[in-house]
Amino acid sequence: MASVALPMVASAPDSRQALGMRLGILQRQRSIIPGFGVTMGITVFALSVIVLIPLSAVFITSAGLGWDGFAATAFSRRALAAYRLSFGAAAAAAAINAVFGLITAWVLVRYDFTGKRLVSALVDLPFALPTAVAGIALTALYAPNGWIGRWLAPLGIDIGFTPRGVVVALIFVGLPFVVRTVEPVLADLGADVEEAAATLGASRLQTFVHVILPAISPALLTGCALAFARAVGEYGSVIFIAGNMPFRSEIAPLLIVVQLEQYNTGGATAIAATMLVISFVLLFGINLLQGWQRRLRTT
Amino acid sequence: MSVPAATAEPRWVRWLLIAVALGFLALNLALPLAAVFVEAFRKGVAAYVAAIRDPDALSALRLTLTVAAIAVPLNIVIGLAASWAIAKFDFRFKPFLVTLIDLPFSVSPVVSGLVYVLVFGMQGWFGEWLRDNDLQVIFAVPGLVLATIFITFPFVARELLPLMEEQGRDEEEAALSLGASGLSTFWHVTLPNVRWGLLYGVLLCNARAMGEFGAVSVVSGHIRGKTNTMPLHIEILYNEYNFAAAFAVASLLAGLALVTLVLKSALEWRFAGQLAGRGH
Amino acid sequence: MSVTATGVIKTFGDYTALSNVSLEAREGEFLALLGPSGSGKTTLLRILAGLEFPDAGQILIGGEDMAGRPARDRRVGFVFQQYALFRHMTVADNIGFGLTVRPRGSRPATREIARRVAELLELVQLPDLGRRYPAQLSGGQRQRVALARALAVEPRILLLDEPFGALDAKVRKDLRRWLREVHDRTGLTSIFVTHDQDEALDLADRVVVMDHGCIEQIDTPEALWDRPASAFVCDFLGGANRVAAIASDGIIDVGGIRLPNHAPALQDGPVTGFIRPHEFSLAAPGSPGIPVTIRRCLRTGAQAALETETHDGAIIEVTLSEPPAGLVPGLTQVLVPTAIRAYPV
């Protein structure tokens, strides 16, 4: 969801907190509100059992493979091709979403037109529509005999069952991230800055390029990064439309499934570990981006 | 909003941008949605009804509802507990804990399924022990539930946390100082303040839980009539070239998505001030 | 360059922001638009800048009709209330912005822009801050940068919206003098909006007092102070006590004291009089005037500020420059007004 990395506002530190900190690692401040032990216990227990311990299995199992065993699958030619497709298509989709997502956010924030609420609600469709449903729907559109595909095929343009199909699916998945991240920033942008540019003689285009775009670019970048991160791991909406040809249109998550189906759990784990590491690096990058964005917005 | 004249774009630019945005959304969002329903009825209403009343489809529907019925309430409990602990108390490593709760968002669904295979699968950590005790997690309902909780882990907490932090702890402290018990403070003070945010989070959590594909695909084993949820059933039908049936089942999930969007938009319009920061 | 507005009308939906407003700022003049919020002063300023367009009426700048001319072609320097600095640009880039965005043909060379920026930084007394970002400046410094940025495009006139509104009292006073100096040095026709009467009277050559979308009075600070054109102006300039009085033949009677009117002529009958705190003297009880009881007495140096109460409970503030001894709360005295401005009730 777009909320992936919204900044969590930690409560302002006070002197009692400082006291609490001295009391130990997870020691709360003395508070009359009850329930810290229970709620923290549930949280840590659930987090450990459901998320952390299973995730650690990926790295522990990978470590057991030895470097050669790990590299044999994780860096095989087929896996490298899959990473290239997953990351390349995700980047292409993010770039396309950057342009059209920005236009969409702009139109939703700045202009009035009938049906605007409906359109705004529709933007969230990819958050609500199951990925498998999106996958077969897109395939119905872009397969060579599909709604759109049949008009493109005679022109020599194939989308379904090619890497282009992967991009189309990832555009679908990532669009709301860009729109929903840019929208509030665009809405918060003071009209006076744009008016100032106008009184200084800037044209509307110059105002957009020199004043508006720099102000919203951190949000735009964040939205793209979120869309990209989601797209890299995406599975359901892609596998129907991709054609899944090894070396050509096989995404990395699918390769994990293929390894599993061949009972090569180790190979699946090696690829998963590689993807996790990349995802965590991405997550870290997104956090940095958002820190930057927060700093820019607090003048 | 009426744009001041000095900062308005020329009319043709406005129209062009609106046209581009609407065209893009129509092509990428509206058209796929329409395709689901059109393809679902391609072979007529009778075929549609037959596809949905197929025993495998009905059992997939039942399983999807079961999984959601277990995973969503568990998620509510975890989400409420996590946001209570994080928002109402101060402790070290708070940002770190928040990052960990967000972690599942950045894990590929396939990997989310794989981790349980590694832990509970035949060759997994507990594989032997489970087999000896005649228990099954992978290729069974518990695996589906676990994978679904993993995927939806951050949804409720994500929605409640900013909301609870914004509201601070004054009201709770007031209630407690007036003699209310902790539980009744939560029930009468905290919960009413966050109920719309909670509903919002639950809505999204539920949509994702019922629609999850990649993670459950890995742990399900695709046993027809037993471990197939609706999204998995759609895949099987589709791979069998039974397109109309696949789209018929898909149309049910698309309907769920539309209901989710309508409720979500309604919540955003009516209770904008009582939801966290912004929409998703 | 002179600025003329004639018959300007502006409505927002049902709300009339300006109803038939006309004014003229002469070449090199420093004009204040003074009024409470909602008086239309900011709307008028924005119309002059081309940020809003009037429903009717004419704007001339330097004799040129501005109808249909957008803000960017008016060469009007505008300083925004919250400064509207571009926060992602350095101070120098902010100031140079107006020159940088000029069409290629008329754009100065990069080095020339840098020279202009340095010059303007010097003028606004921030010579070393060109590489800072707006977030790193104090409020007063941002204000100066905003002014320098507006001046960089060599505007024909300078418009300032509440130029000191966002500053604290101390900085405000300093900047006031400084702004007047800058104005005198550049000789630009300048118009600024304010709701602070001290600021307007202190700074402007002439003050335009506005209320509810209409101009109540245009005059020099002295004339405004001495002869407020309406009860609103007199009240808004502040400090005056409101008393009931009777007018007959142009003479105003307050509690038996008869005074000439310092305001426009008015019809005989009951009127509202305004008497400023220093326009009283004290007399013994029983004399003609306004009998009051002293509620509070505050002596500061040679002066005394009295808070007094009339029989019907109205409070009258009095300032005495040579107060007699023994002014204590509870004492009954008579206030003798020495001047009055009366307006229709």
Side-chain angles (χ1 to χ4, degrees), chain A residues 1 3-4 6 8-9 25 29 33 36 43 50 111-112 121 124 127 139 147 172 180 204 233 279, chain B residues 1 7 9 14 28 39 82 89-90 92 98 102 106 108 116 150 155 158 165 169 238 264 278 280:
Chain A
M1 310 299 306
S3 49
V4 172
L6 297 187
M8 281 286 173
V9 190
I25 288 180
Q29 58 154 306
I33 299 177
F36 181 74
T43 307
I50 293 172
Y111 302 150
D112 277 324
D124 285 330
F127 286 156
T139 312
W147 294 22
F172 176 88
R180 295 298 180 223
R204 201 59 198 137
S279 296
Chain B
M1 171 181 119
T7 53
E9 293 76 34
R14 253 179 295 168
N28 284 289
E39 295 291 331
F89 300 91
D90 291 324
R92 290 178 86 176
V98 173
D102 275 343
S106 40
S108 171
Y116 293 107
F150 183 106
F155 278 78
R158 252 293 155 215
E165 292 203 314
R169 39 198 144 183
Y238 194 87
K264 178 173 168 297
R278 55 170 141 168
H280 288 248

Side-chain angles (χ1 to χ4, degrees), chain C residues 30-33 45 160-161 163-164 190-194 199-200 203-204:
Chain C
F30 204 174
L31 202 66
L33 300 183
L45 196 75
L160 306 102
D161 186 7
F164 312 107
S190 309
I191 303 178
F192 75 103
V193 156
T194 181
E199 212 165 273
L203 210 48

Side-chain angles (χ1 to χ4, degrees), chain C residues 41-268:
Chain C
K41 55 193 192 305
T42 295
T43 305
L44 180 56
L45 196 75
R46 290 170 59 83
I47 286 177
L48 294 177
L51 295 172
E52 313 269 1
F53 291 102
D55 303 335
Q58 192 184 38
I59 306 290
L60 301 178
I61 296 179
E64 248 183 288
D65 192 348
M66 290 292 125
R69 177 110 52 113
R72 70 164 169 277
D73 298 332
R74 289 198 184 188
R75 280 204 26 230
V76 160
F78 199 102
V79 177
F80 290 79
Q81 189 173 0
Q82 304 292 338
Y83 320 132
L85 295 179
F86 308 127
R87 63 179 77 165
H88 61 278
M89 291 182 201
T90 62
V91 166
D93 289 343
N94 262 285
I95 297 175
F97 181 84
L99 300 172
T100 317
V101 296
R102 284 204 184 151
R104 208 166 284 272
S106 56
R107 186 190 311 158
T110 316
R111 194 182 297 164
E112 170 62 14
I113 293 179
R115 200 189 56 76
R116 281 284 296 150
V117 168
E119 218 173 80
L120 283 158
L121 279 170
E122 201 72 47
L123 176 74
V124 299
Q125 297 165 359
L126 301 171
D128 303 321
L129 298 187
R131 307 177 101 177
R132 297 258 187 105
Y133 284 87
Q136 299 166 302
L137 303 180
S138 71
Q141 289 172 330
R142 285 181 209 172
Q143 163 71 284
R144 289 159 191 250
V145 174
L147 182 65
R149 185 178 67 177
L151 292 174
V153 294
E154 291 168 336
R156 301 187 294 175
I157 59 168
L158 186 61
L159 305 175
L160 306 102
D161 186 7
E162 295 275 6
F164 312 107
L167 300 171
D168 54 56
K170 164 87 178 71
V171 184
R172 194 182 286 215
K173 272 253 157 80
D174 294 345
L175 269 180
R176 225 191 251 180
R177 304 310 330 160
W178 171 79
L179 181 62
R180 180 72 216 194
E181 279 166 31
V182 170
H183 169 265
D184 293 346
R185 196 138 23 117
T186 58
L188 273 176
T189 309
S190 309
I191 303 178
F192 75 103
V193 156
T194 181
H195 63 269
D196 180 335
Q197 64 280 9
D198 284 345
E199 212 165 273
L201 297 177
D202 189 26
L203 210 48
D205 294 326
R206 285 192 303 151
V207 178
V208 179
V209 184
M210 297 185 67
D211 185 38
H212 287 109
C214 297
I215 292 179
E216 294 275 328
Q217 188 172 2
I218 307 181
D219 246 320
T220 61
E222 297 74 31
L224 205 64
W225 185 254
D226 291 341
R227 293 179 298 281
S230 66
F232 171 81
V233 175
C234 194
D235 204 18
F236 191 73
L237 290 181
N241 295 291
R242 204 182 259 264
V243 294
I246 309 286
S248 64
D249 289 336
I251 298 295
I252 311 300
D253 183 315
V254 194
I257 306 282
R258 293 164 62 79
L259 294 164
N261 191 8
H262 279 251
L266 70 178
Q267 293 200 321
D268 292 356

Side-chain angles (χ1 to χ4, degrees), chain B residues 188-264:
Chain B
H188 293 292
V189 176
T190 310
L191 205 54
N193 277 337
V194 300
R195 62 182 168 210
W196 299 117
L198 178 62
L199 185 57
Y200 193 89
V202 168
L203 204 61
L204 294 172
C205 176
N206 181 62
R208 186 69 196 261
M210 290 193 174
E212 179 48 30
F213 178 70
V216 296
S217 163
V218 171
V219 295
S220 117
H222 301 93
I223 306 163
R224 267 198 192 210
K226 268 192 83 180
T227 62
N228 260 348
T229 61
M230 285 171 80
L232 300 177
H233 187 60
I234 293 172
E235 185 197 18
I236 289 183
L237 291 172
Y238 194 87
N239 287 344
E240 287 170 348
Y241 303 103
N242 195 351
F243 295 139
F247 278 103
V249 179
S251 73
L252 293 183
L253 287 175
L256 171 77
L258 289 181
V259 171
T260 303
L261 283 186
V262 168
L263 290 177
K264 178 173 168 297

